[in-house]
Amino acid sequence: MINLERVGEHEFVASNGRGASVRIGRKGQEGSFSPVELLVAAAAGCAMVTSETLILRRTGGDQLTAEADAVQSESGNEVISIPVTLSYDLSAVDDPEALETVVRRAVEQFCTVTRTLKQSATSPLQLPTPLQTASDPL
């Protein structure tokens, strides 16, 4: 469960039960991620978490980075693609194509975020309902 709390005008903090938190705000707001930036970070982070062991075991290194960006529709109101680029050293890899195949397969099969994006997950919005008062008929 993720909890969000308003901490100022257009400023929110998301936290999880393990003590981690991240600031969320409008696009361009200093010191925070926009919601779209968090979506992009989730896609890149999921690819990295999913492939980390495979890559580092085969490369013998400990360097792994990712870049990602949101490609938005002409209206800017929806993300149509999130290209993710993983970077790591291939100098110690005998068969780079085999590693690419394994990494792609792992991300496609096990990365919850990118799999969810492909499925176009729904995001039902629940709003508070008016509370009944003592004068309301039952």
Side-chain angles (χ1 to χ4, degrees):
M1 171 81 63
I2 302 296
N3 293 309
L4 252 70
E5 180 180 344
R6 183 176 185 265
V7 295
E9 184 177 4
H10 311 305
E11 293 182 78
F12 309 89
V13 172
S15 59
N16 64 19
R18 297 181 311 279
S21 63
V22 62
R23 293 188 78 77
I24 302 172
R26 290 188 173 186
K27 182 179 179 180
Q29 187 171 5
E30 289 296 316
S32 65
F33 285 90
S34 74
V36 171
E37 289 170 330
L38 288 173
L39 181 65
V40 171
C46 189
M48 286 183 75
V49 167
T50 302
S51 63
E52 176 187 29
T53 301
L54 292 169
I55 292 169
L56 298 183
R57 185 181 323 137
R58 286 168 176 81
T59 63
D62 63 355
Q63 297 297 313
L64 174 59
T65 61
E67 287 186 359
D69 198 9
V71 177
Q72 294 185 281
S73 65
E74 287 184 29
S75 69
N77 292 329
E78 64 184 10
V79 174
I80 56 175
S81 178
I82 303 175
V84 174
T85 302
L86 296 179
S87 298
Y88 44 89
D89 184 6
L90 289 172
S91 62
V93 177
D94 293 333
D95 189 352
E97 291 82 17
L99 177 57
E100 178 182 339
T101 299
V102 171
V103 169
R104 284 188 188 281
R105 186 180 314 131
V107 171
E108 288 171 2
Q109 290 180 353
F110 302 112
C111 178
T112 303
V113 175
T114 55
R115 289 175 57 84
T116 301
L117 289 169
K118 286 179 184 177
Q119 296 293 323
S120 298
T122 62
S123 181
L125 178 63
Q126 296 180 6
L127 301 173
T129 56
L131 297 176
Q132 281 190 323
T133 63
S135 62
D136 287 342
L138 297 177

